[in-house]
Amino acid sequence: MESTEAAEAATDYVKELITVLSTEDTEMVQLQGIGAYQDKSNQIQRKMNDQMKNDILGLCAIKEEKEKHISTNHSDASHGTALAETTAEMDRAKQHQARVQQELSATRDRVQQCKAEKEQLEGERERVTENTTVRLPEVRHNFNLYSNISRIRWQEECKPGEINGFICNANDVKPFSLNSQQNSPFFIANYLWDLMEADW
């Protein structure tokens, strides 16, 4: 009975491992994509910071120029017009700065999300590596041990729900074919024990 359960567990584990290993390439592509996205967002952030600095320097220069123009021109009318123009320029610059800050905040959020995805994928990769290097050899060893003790040889390629194989006794080979949906695990274990008993 233990050999049947161990064989089923080993078969399920090998199928799961094949599925995980086939997705490992996809995870690598995702990790590389996340890294590229992070580099791109860092470049955008630097460009936006440079643009904000240039805008601020430009506005300061315009303000100084307007102040010089105002100081040389003593007319109240021109002073009011220049002040209104400078105020409008400052308002436009503040709006532009607010838009840049929103874009920068959205980019930072996306970078944080990408970092979290990257950490999750790296954790999954470590788990798969551990399963491949530690658990798979152990399962393979146990499967071979049970097969040698019981002399059961499993047919690996069969339909879902079918349990096929043969038992090698001293004088003959006894094939078996059972359906796990029609038979209970208890019946299957007893049936296999009965096939082996003749030689024990």
Side-chain angles (χ1 to χ4, degrees):
M1 187 161 72
E2 290 182 6
S3 61
T4 305
E5 293 173 358
E8 288 177 356
T11 303
D12 292 343
Y13 182 75
V14 168
K15 288 178 182 177
E16 179 187 345
L17 183 61
I18 289 170
T19 303
V20 171
L21 289 176
S22 66
T23 60
E24 186 172 337
D25 292 338
T26 305
E27 292 174 356
M28 279 300 294
V29 169
Q30 290 175 346
L31 283 173
Q32 291 171 350
I34 290 170
Y37 185 81
Q38 189 173 358
D39 290 342
K40 184 177 179 182
S41 65
N42 287 340
Q43 289 174 354
I44 291 171
Q45 185 176 356
R46 284 192 295 271
K47 188 185 288 186
M48 293 167 90
N49 286 340
D50 292 342
Q51 185 177 0
M52 284 175 52
K53 288 177 185 176
N54 291 337
D55 289 346
I56 291 170
L57 290 174
L59 288 173
C60 288
I62 290 171
K63 183 180 177 186
E64 288 175 7
E65 184 179 319
K66 296 291 183 180
E67 286 175 353
K68 287 179 186 176
H69 180 68
I70 289 170
S71 65
T72 56
N73 190 355
H74 297 289
S75 169
D76 289 340
S78 64
H79 177 67
T81 304
L83 185 59
E85 287 177 5
T86 304
T87 305
E89 291 273 341
M90 290 294 284
D91 289 342
R92 284 194 295 273
K94 286 178 182 177
Q95 291 172 357
H96 178 69
Q97 184 179 8
R99 282 193 306 271
V100 169
Q101 287 292 343
Q102 287 177 346
E103 291 174 6
L104 184 61
S105 177
T107 303
R108 284 181 181 157
D109 291 343
R110 180 65 183 144
V111 166
Q112 290 299 323
Q113 183 181 3
C114 288
K115 283 181 181 178
E117 289 175 9
K118 180 180 178 183
E119 289 173 3
Q120 180 182 2
L121 289 173
E122 287 174 349
E124 184 68 21
R125 174 190 269 182
E126 288 176 10
R127 187 184 71 81
V128 169
T129 302
E130 179 184 347
N131 286 342
T132 304
T133 56
V134 176
R135 291 193 62 209
L136 183 61
E138 181 182 335
V139 169
R140 188 177 291 143
H141 171 73
N142 290 339
F143 183 78
N144 289 335
L145 180 66
Y146 291 140
S147 294
N148 288 333
I149 292 172
S150 66
R151 298 184 194 157
I152 297 177
R153 302 296 178 256
W154 303 100
Q155 182 180 346
E156 295 177 8
E157 296 179 6
C158 55
K159 295 178 183 176
E162 288 186 1
I163 301 171
N164 298 328
F166 57 90
I167 297 177
C168 298
N169 289 332
N171 299 323
D172 62 347
V173 174
K174 296 178 182 178
F176 60 87
S177 179
L178 301 167
N179 190 321
S180 64
Q181 295 172 349
Q182 295 175 353
N183 300 304
S184 70
F186 181 75
F187 173 81
I188 293 170
N190 284 339
Y191 181 80
L192 293 175
W193 274 112
D194 290 343
L195 286 178
M196 289 187 293
E197 270 183 17
D199 196 40
W200 284 76

